[in-house]
Amino acid sequence: MNKPVLPVTYEQLDHWIESLQPALLDEGFSAVAGILRGGAPLALMVSHAVGLPVAFLRYERATREVTWDSSLPMPVPGSKILLCEDIAGRGFTLVDCIAFLERHGLVVRTLTGAFDELSRTKPDFSLDARGYFALFPWERQAHTARYRDDWTASEAGRRAPMADDHDYATYAIDLDGILLPDVPSARYDADLEAALNERDLLLPFETLPGIDLQHTRAIVTGRPEMDRARTQAWLDRHGFGHLELVMRAAGLHDHTPAGAAAHKAAAVLCCGVTHFIESDPVQAILISQQAPLLRVIWWDAIAHSGTLVGASAWR
């Protein structure tokens, strides 16, 4: 995947479909159909926006077989239907589903979350993602290395079908406030060397966030790169040395909350994970703004509780 990622959130899709409401009403559709699974969220959004009954199609990529997968009967011939899919890609999903509906006498218009320069067909309603890799909330796991490896093997016929989406959940974690207590910033200001020595002697928390470290890809910390040796020594001493350690390059990002959050957001996206656990609530908000499809969890080590954070700019 060499193209830059274009994250598309549920909120953006909801606002976009709401903006299409007058045009969709003017079309006089009798129903909306979503191609399972990526087209289903969009079909439901359209259904709520314009009051249409919603149905679903199932597509088998290996055989290119299309089936009407709904308790609703197929509309009568001559009816106009809106067909929804997440991406108009280079494959045959959309064109095969259009052909299936047209063979049953339906007039078909299409809506997709995005199209790009490789799309086999251009939808009637779509977001322009040419030059980008559009990533939707229901496929955030596609950013992980394991998912890409399994997808490549599956496409080549070398492996059984893909695992369930949740099986690809992969974590990165903050360090201070997650694995060990934070040293108050005032102590660093008063005597930096004493504060660093104090930090080196700290023991890990007895209670850590309830995640399996087997599925933890990296530790992403706001500590500067110059602290790597002593940080790695602490991790090795306490059994965390197997995790990749990503530290802040002081020349790129400063030590302020905004600078640390920018470093962490960029680093976590490069790590290709689905979840990030952060100890500072302000940084959690800033990271969520910069990586909108990342599951950002603010972990309160004192209360032993996590809060899923989502943030959008308020204009």
Side-chain angles (χ1 to χ4, degrees):
M1 185 172 62
N2 297 320
K3 296 190 290 186
V5 173
L6 177 66
V8 184
T9 67
Y10 281 114
E11 184 178 35
Q12 290 169 328
L13 291 168
D14 176 64
H15 289 177
W16 171 59
I17 288 176
E18 189 68 21
S19 76
L20 294 176
Q21 185 191 53
L24 296 175
L25 287 170
D26 286 345
E27 291 280 351
F29 293 115
S30 61
V32 55
I35 303 172
L36 295 170
R37 291 180 304 170
L42 292 167
L44 289 167
M45 289 181 184
V46 170
S47 173
H48 287 296
V50 296
L52 289 173
V54 62
F56 303 100
L57 297 183
R58 186 171 298 277
Y59 183 73
E60 297 296 335
R61 296 175 67 246
T63 61
R64 297 179 59 180
E65 181 183 2
V66 184
T67 53
W68 182 265
D69 189 355
S70 177
S71 59
L72 292 177
M74 190 177 292
V76 298
S79 301
K80 186 188 287 189
I81 190 169
L82 181 65
L83 178 64
C84 297
E85 174 66 315
D86 51 5
I87 183 75
R90 62 184 179 180
F92 294 95
T93 303
L94 198 57
V95 293
D96 285 349
C97 289
I98 293 170
F100 169 82
L101 294 172
E102 288 179 340
R103 285 198 300 272
H104 285 81
L106 300 179
V107 178
V108 184
R109 299 267 273 166
T110 53
L111 179 149
T112 68
F115 75 95
D116 60 24
E117 63 277 5
L118 298 178
S119 297
R120 189 172 291 274
T121 183
K122 185 177 178 182
D124 298 297
F125 305 95
S126 189
L127 298 173
D128 188 346
R130 285 174 292 188
Y132 293 89
F133 179 87
L135 190 65
F136 299 97
W138 48 87
E139 57 181 14
R140 69 186 78 236
Q141 69 280 353
H143 206 48
T144 65
R146 183 186 164 206
Y147 184 95
R148 293 197 298 270
D149 290 344
D150 283 2
W151 175 267
T152 301
S154 177
E155 287 290 281
R158 298 194 305 268
R159 193 173 300 175
M162 303 284 291
D164 293 329
D165 291 348
H166 63 269
D167 289 329
Y168 295 102
T170 312
Y171 290 78
I173 59 174
D174 187 16
L175 176 56
D176 298 290
I178 301 297
L179 296 183
L180 73 163
D182 255 322
V183 174
S185 58
R187 296 229 267 278
Y188 289 103
D189 295 336
D191 188 333
L192 177 59
E193 190 57 34
L196 292 175
N197 290 333
E198 175 188 349
R199 190 182 69 187
D200 291 343
L201 296 175
L202 290 171
L203 296 176
F205 284 121
E206 290 185 5
T207 301
L208 299 178
I211 63 169
D212 183 354
L213 290 180
Q214 295 276 355
H215 295 112
T216 301
R217 168 83 170 75
I219 294 170
V220 179
T221 175
R223 293 187 186 184
E225 187 64 46
M226 63 184 294
D227 282 356
R228 177 172 290 276
R230 66 197 311 160
T231 300
Q232 188 64 59
W234 187 93
L235 293 170
D236 292 341
R237 262 196 320 274
H238 296 289
F240 303 110
H242 63 288
L243 297 173
E244 180 184 355
L245 176 61
V246 183
M247 307 190 75
R248 177 174 56 85
L252 293 177
H253 300 101
D254 61 28
H255 67 281
T256 64
H263 150 67
K264 290 175 182 177
V268 168
L269 289 176
C270 286
C271 287
V273 300
T274 57
H275 296 67
F276 181 61
I277 301 180
E278 167 60 44
S279 65
D280 181 83
V282 173
Q283 289 189 44
I285 291 170
L286 295 173
I287 293 166
S288 180
Q289 285 182 338
Q290 296 173 61
L293 296 188
L294 181 69
R295 296 289 196 194
V296 181
I297 299 99
W298 166 48
W299 175 252
D300 183 343
I302 304 303
H304 302 157
S305 67
T307 301
L308 187 64
V309 174
S312 298
W314 183 21
R315 297 181 179 86

